[in-house]
Amino acid sequence: MKTFSEAARMEASALMERYPTRMAALIPIMFIAQREFGHIDEEAEKVIAELMDISPVSVREVSGFYFMIHKHPPGKYHLQICHNISCTIMAAEKLLTWVKDELGIEDGQRTGDALFSLERVECLGACDLAPVMLVNETLYTNLTLEKFTRIIDALKNGKIPED
Amino acid sequence: MPELKLLSRNFHHPDQRDLQAALNRGAYQQLKRVLAEKTAPEAIIEEVKAAKLRGQGGAGFPAGMKWSFVPKGTDKPKYLCVNGDESEPGTFKDKVILENDPHLLIEGAALCCYAVGIHTAYIYIRGEYHEPQRIVRQAVADAYEAGFLGKNIFDSGFDLDVIVHTGAGAYICGEETALLNSLEGLKGWPRIRPPFPAVKGAFACPTVINNVETLSCVVRILEMGGEAYRKVGTEKDGGTKLFAVSGHVEKPGTYELPMGSSLKELIFDICGGVKGGKKLKAVIPGGSSTPVLKADEVDVTLEFEAMMAAGTMLGSGAAIVLDETVSIPEIFTVTARFYAHESCGQCTQCREGCTWLYKLGLKILGGHGKPADLDLILDLADQMDGKQTVCPLGPACAMPCRAFVQKFRDEFLSLMKS
C-alpha cells in the first residue's frame, strides 16, 4: 500500500488549512502525491481520498480531467513536445521524428529502460522560441537536431543541460 | 506607431524580480501612496474606468466596470483571482510579466483588492509555467517579508493575503468560471451564468477575476492618472498592450504598443517583416481562436472594435504570422485538434463539433475530402457558434475554422483534386 512520507503529509495538512474549503487543496495535493509516487493510479487516488477525507471518486473525477496528472508512470525524463500552430510551422513534427529515431518512442510511450517518455502537448506559451520542448520542468527552445541531440545525450549521462 | 514601454519599462533589467531592485525603480509606490493617503476605494475604480482599461486576457471587458459589479454591503468575504492560466495558442505575454516584473503584478493586484475591499487574492498560474511559478512564489514571499503583504500593510490597517495556486494542464481553466472550479479543487467545467462571479464566484463569494496584464496596468494608471493613461491609446481602448508575435517573422517576441497601433507596422516594421524574405500568406491576429486575416487584410488597427469591424478579434494580442509555405488546411486541422483536445465535454455542440472538425481536417489532409465537406464544416461552425453553450470554447474553435475555409477555400479544394 502506498503511503505519504511524513513531510508530504505535513505539507498536505497545511494546504488543507490554507483555503476556505478542504477540497481546494486537492490539485496541489495531487502534485505532492505525484512527486511521491510518480503517477496517480487507483491506489494513489485512494490514499489521497483517505488523507483528505473525501470520496475516491472525487479524486478520480479531477485526476482524470487534468493532463499534467500522470495516469501511467512517466520516464525519468518526461519529454513534452508542443505541436500547436507556432511550433508546427517551425517544424515540431520533425522534432517528433527525431525523438522516434533517437529513442524509438512515440506519443504516450516510454523507453524500455524507463529513462524517457514522450507526450505531445498543446501550446506551452513559448511560441516566439518555437519549436519547444519541456523536459520535466525545464523548457528547451529554438530546437534544432543538433541541439536536441545534445540535450538527449546530456540527459542520458544524468546531466540536466541548460537551454 | 513605435513601441511604447509603459508596462514593460523595467522588463529588460535582469534583477527586476528582486524586491530591492524593483523598489529602487518605484515598485509599490502607488500602493504605499494610496494606503497613506487613504484614497477612497471608489476613486481608484473611477481612475481605472477613466483609463478605459479593458480585460487583456482576450474578452476586452472594461475592468473598472467589472470591479464595480461586486456588491458593497456584503458580509461575505470577497476574493480576487488573478488569471495567469495563459494557454491560448500563440500567447505568451503574461509569462513575460510573471518572469520579468512579478512585483508589478503583485502591486496591481493589491491595488485592485484595496479598491474592491478584498483581503484574499489567488494568483492562478498555469501548471506548465514552472519557471514563472517559482519566480512569483519567491516575489510573494519577499513581499510578505517586507510587510507589503499580510496584516496591516504599511501600518494602514489594510490586510491582504496572496496565495499562488497552480493549474494542472487544461486550457479551459483560463475561462473565468472554469478557473473558479479548478481553484476549488474540481474539474475545470465552466459554470452557467448568471450568477456572475462578481456576485457568486470563488467559494460562492463575490469575486473579481482579472488577467495578469490587466492588473499590472493598474499600477501605471495610478502613476499617470486615468485620463492621461487613456490618451496614450484610443477613445475606447486606453493605454498600451503587450503583443506577442510568433511564427514567420524576423524578430518574434513581445512588444508593447499603444492601443490603436497598426498590425501591419507591428509585423513589417517592428518585427522586421516575414522571415527570410518570403511572402506573407496570412496572420492569425489575436490567438488561435481569432479568425485569420489574409495578407491583403492586415492593414488594421489594433483595438477591440476595429478588429471586430475587420471580421476578427484583438483577442489576447497574440499574432501568429504565416508565410507563403504554410498549408492552411494543416493549420485548420491543428487548430481543430487543439480545441477537440481541450473541450471540457460539457456541451454537445462543442464536444462533438470540435472533434468532427478535426476529423474532417484529417480527411481532407489525407486526400479523401470532398467539396461537400467544406459546406459541412461551415454548417458545423454555425451550429457551434450559436451562443447556446456554457462557455465560448466551441465558438473559439468554430470562428477560426470557418474563416480558414471561407478565405482559403481553393487551397482546401486543391487537396481534393489531386
Side-chain angles (χ1 to χ4, degrees):
Chain A
M1 184 75 181
K2 290 183 165 106
T3 51
F4 275 105
S5 65
E6 192 50 34
R9 189 174 290 276
M10 282 171 64
E11 200 181 334
S13 299
L15 280 165
M16 283 188 275
E17 298 294 318
R18 196 169 194 197
Y19 296 90
T21 63
R22 196 166 0 123
M23 195 67 187
L26 176 56
I27 293 172
I29 288 175
M30 243 179 232
F31 278 120
I32 295 173
Q34 189 150 283
R35 204 175 63 210
E36 295 273 297
F37 310 134
H39 68 292
I40 308 289
D41 59 7
E42 198 176 343
E43 193 183 334
E45 285 170 1
K46 281 184 186 155
V47 174
I48 294 166
E50 184 70 26
L51 180 80
M52 293 183 70
D53 194 21
I54 59 177
S55 62
V57 71
S58 306
V59 182
R60 166 71 54 88
E61 190 177 67
V62 176
S63 70
F65 188 84
Y66 293 97
F67 299 112
M68 287 176 69
I69 305 300
H70 299 302
K71 285 81 191 176
H72 303 285
K76 182 179 178 190
Y77 302 112
H78 186 53
L79 314 182
Q80 297 155 77
I81 294 181
C82 171
H83 67 174
N84 212 293
I85 301 171
S86 298
C87 283
T88 290
I89 65 173
M90 300 309 250
E93 290 299 327
K94 255 191 224 163
L95 182 50
L96 286 153
T97 59
W98 300 338
V99 177
K100 180 136 194 240
D101 293 346
E102 182 77 24
L103 302 171
I105 51 172
E106 294 188 55
D107 184 31
Q109 295 179 339
R110 190 172 71 154
T111 54
D113 59 5
L115 205 51
F116 295 97
S117 51
L118 174 65
E119 186 183 0
R120 284 170 169 263
V121 294
E122 298 301 346
C123 187
L124 291 170
C127 320
D128 53 337
L129 307 169
V132 300
M133 163 175 84
L134 256 183
V135 179
N136 298 342
E137 297 190 358
T138 308
L139 186 70
Y140 296 99
T141 61
N142 290 315
L143 290 167
T144 57
L145 178 56
E146 192 216 341
K147 184 170 175 180
F148 171 76
T149 312
R150 195 158 25 94
I151 293 163
I152 296 297
D153 286 346
L155 293 171
K156 280 179 179 169
N157 290 315
K159 293 193 188 90
I160 297 171
E162 292 199 356
D163 181 26
Chain B
M1 252 186 268
E3 284 183 79
L4 179 63
K5 295 185 178 179
L6 296 181
L7 199 67
S8 60
R9 73 172 179 232
N10 293 318
F11 286 6
H12 63 288
H13 297 295
D15 61 352
Q16 180 65 15
R17 62 181 72 160
D18 299 332
L19 180 58
Q20 191 53 53
L23 285 172
N24 294 343
R25 299 186 189 107
Y28 294 101
Q29 284 306 309
Q30 296 311 307
L31 181 64
K32 201 171 191 173
R33 178 177 67 79
V34 158
L35 293 178
E37 293 174 1
K38 301 196 186 310
T39 307
E42 297 76 25
I44 295 174
I45 298 180
E46 286 311 313
E47 287 296 323
V48 173
K49 281 183 179 169
K52 295 282 160 55
L53 173 64
R54 299 178 65 152
Q56 308 288 317
F61 193 83
M65 202 185 290
K66 204 173 199 179
W67 296 5
S68 62
F69 289 157
V70 175
K72 302 239 165 4
T74 177
D75 53 359
K76 286 182 180 171
K78 298 178 226 175
Y79 297 109
L80 169 67
C81 291
V82 180
N83 189 343
D85 191 55
E86 180 167 74
S87 316
E88 170 85 359
T91 314
F92 46 90
K93 48 103 186 164
D94 291 339
K95 184 184 70 174
V96 174
I97 300 173
L98 298 170
E99 289 190 340
N100 294 294
D101 205 352
H103 292 290
L104 181 70
L105 169 65
I106 297 168
E107 185 180 8
L111 289 164
C112 166
C113 289
Y114 174 77
V116 186
I118 292 169
H119 301 291
T120 308
Y122 297 99
I123 303 180
Y124 185 107
I125 303 177
R126 69 176 295 196
E128 295 87 343
Y129 273 7
H130 300 287
E131 187 65 8
Q133 288 166 21
R134 277 192 283 270
I135 291 167
V136 174
R137 282 186 201 282
Q138 185 59 52
V140 167
D142 293 345
Y144 266 104
E145 177 79 26
F148 302 165
L149 294 175
K151 298 275 179 221
N152 194 22
I153 299 169
F154 297 125
D155 283 325
S156 64
F158 179 66
D159 302 337
L160 178 61
D161 273 318
V162 172
I163 294 162
V164 179
H165 191 93
T166 65
Y171 165 75
I172 190 59
C173 292
E175 194 281 331
E176 60 180 19
T177 60
L179 185 148
L180 295 175
N181 276 341
S182 181
L183 172 65
E184 292 184 24
L186 307 171
K187 61 184 173 186
W189 273 21
R191 298 176 181 175
I192 293 171
R193 280 148 286 201
F196 287 91
V199 177
K200 191 177 176 186
F203 309 106
C205 293
T207 301
V208 171
I209 308 163
N210 278 142
N211 168 262
V212 166
E213 184 184 357
T214 312
L215 287 165
S216 302
C217 289
V218 174
V219 179
R220 298 291 181 255
I221 290 169
L222 293 196
E223 281 172 2
M224 296 170 68
E227 183 56 23
Y229 181 87
R230 186 205 59 75
K231 279 187 182 157
V232 170
T234 66
E235 189 60 38
K236 288 183 175 169
D237 299 9
T240 56
K241 163 136 196 64
L242 296 178
F243 292 94
V245 185
S246 65
H248 295 132
V249 285
E250 288 290 349
K251 292 183 286 181
T254 312
Y255 300 93
E256 182 175 2
L257 305 177
M259 282 290 196
S261 297
S262 151
L263 175 62
K264 196 173 177 182
E265 279 180 35
L266 172 60
I267 294 166
F268 287 98
D269 299 339
I270 295 167
C271 293
V274 180
K275 201 175 176 180
K278 290 203 170 66
K279 272 196 205 149
L280 179 68
K281 182 171 205 171
V283 178
I284 301 166
S288 65
S289 58
T290 60
V292 67
L293 295 170
K294 292 164 75 172
D296 60 3
E297 295 174 329
V298 300
D299 197 2
V300 290
T301 310
L302 294 164
E303 53 183 327
F304 284 95
E305 285 180 17
M307 293 295 275
M308 281 175 79
T312 184
M313 295 191 302
L314 185 66
S316 59
I320 306 173
V321 177
L322 310 175
D323 75 13
E324 56 189 325
T325 66
V326 170
S327 154
I328 295 293
E330 184 180 12
I331 300 302
F332 168 97
T333 309
V334 169
T335 303
R337 178 180 66 194
F338 168 71
Y339 290 99
H341 185 257
E342 301 296 338
S343 173
C344 83
Q346 196 174 190
C347 308
T348 312
Q349 301 94 313
C350 173
R351 181 185 64 237
E352 304 302 324
C354 294
T355 299
W356 201 347
L357 289 176
Y358 172 45
K359 286 184 176 171
L360 286 165
L362 287 177
K363 182 181 171 192
I364 294 166
L365 284 183
H368 306 294
K370 296 185 177 71
D373 290 329
L374 300 181
D375 299 324
L376 177 57
I377 288 169
L378 296 177
D379 184 32
L380 272 172
D382 284 347
Q383 293 187 51
M384 292 163 69
D385 195 13
K387 317 243 180 285
Q388 295 139 338
T389 45
V390 174
C391 93
L393 193 144
C397 178
M399 288 184 294
C401 286
R402 176 166 48 213
F404 287 132
V405 170
Q406 284 174 339
K407 295 188 179 184
F408 295 93
R409 195 176 181 100
D410 287 349
E411 201 177 325
F412 286 84
L413 288 171
S414 73
L415 292 176
M416 298 171 190
K417 283 171 198 153
S418 61

